[in-house]
Amino acid sequence: DAKTTQPTSMDCAEGRAANLPCNHSTISGNEYVYWYRQIHSQGPQYIIHGLKNNETNEMASLIITEDRKSSTLILPHATLRDTAVYYCIVSPNTDKLIFGTGTRLQVFP
Amino acid sequence: DSGVTQTPKHLITATGQRVTLRCSPRSGDLSVYWYQQSLDQGLQFLIQYYNGEERAKGNILERFSAQQFPDLHSELNLSSLELGDSALYFCASSVADGGWTTDTQYFGPGTRLTVL
């Protein structure tokens, strides 16, 4: 069973920041937070992961609260191509990723 | 393009039949993972192979089997097909055995199986 809770859907205007929340209140000390996304029916795509420090890469930023019970994925300037289902996953490694239902992000013009 | 290839893209068959899905991992990747995505079950992990050996098993039915060959490509065999097996089947690959936190899985484009 997925250990995360995400909103079912969110909207975001093109060019604005998209902030996708994820609750993982039962996360263990050795578990990382991973984010993947799936555009339409394509294969999921890795975005970013982190343990407790905030992380940033060319795709997004990941903000993890100090108690690690929740996190936020930030797409700084959303484009129409960012419309996808975003999955937040907690796992000690990348073995047997357990995908939940994710958040369907719709970016509108 | 993730570098992972899957064939065929689409497959239509009848109940009771057997099919084989093929996956070629990214160059240099030793692990192959198989996932099933159906409308009612979401994305489910089926099985993982690492360097030719089965490493982890998920919700894989007994009618399904997989193997990884010496050239590291993998095949997923589905037999005695039922209507409920209609789904997208994804293959993913990673460099190592998945035990590293940074061992990113790269997914292929999937095979859409329709059982009539």
Side-chain angles (χ1 to χ4, degrees), chain A residues 71-86:
Chain A
S71 60
T72 301
L73 178 74
I74 301 172
L75 308 179
H77 306 285
T79 70
L80 298 178
R81 289 181 297 177
D82 291 322
T83 293
V85 178
Y86 287 77

Side-chain angles (χ1 to χ4, degrees), chain A residues 8-98:
Chain A
T8 302
S9 63
M10 294 183 64
D11 290 339
C12 178
E14 190 176 21
R16 304 298 294 268
N19 297 288
L20 292 90
C22 179
N23 286 321
H24 31 79
S25 58
T26 61
I27 191 170
S28 301
N30 66 338
E31 289 184 314
Y32 284 67
V33 180
Y34 293 88
W35 283 84
Y36 277 74
R37 73 180 182 183
Q38 187 174 23
I39 297 173
H40 194 43
S41 293
Q42 299 176 22
Q45 176 189 26
Y46 166 80
I47 302 173
I48 198 168
H49 77 279
L51 182 63
K52 52 184 173 183
N53 297 320
N54 298 337
E55 302 288 344
T56 296
N57 63 20
E58 65 279 3
M59 289 183 68
S61 294
L62 174 61
I63 308 298
I64 302 174
T65 58
E66 196 168 338
D67 63 8
R68 303 209 323 122
K69 292 185 177 181
S70 66
S71 60
T72 301
L73 178 74
I74 301 172
L75 308 179
H77 306 285
T79 70
L80 298 178
R81 289 181 297 177
D82 291 322
T83 293
V85 178
Y86 287 77
Y87 298 98
C88 169
I89 302 165
V90 294
S91 179
N93 49 45
T94 59
D95 190 9
K96 291 190 294 182
L97 295 177
I98 298 175

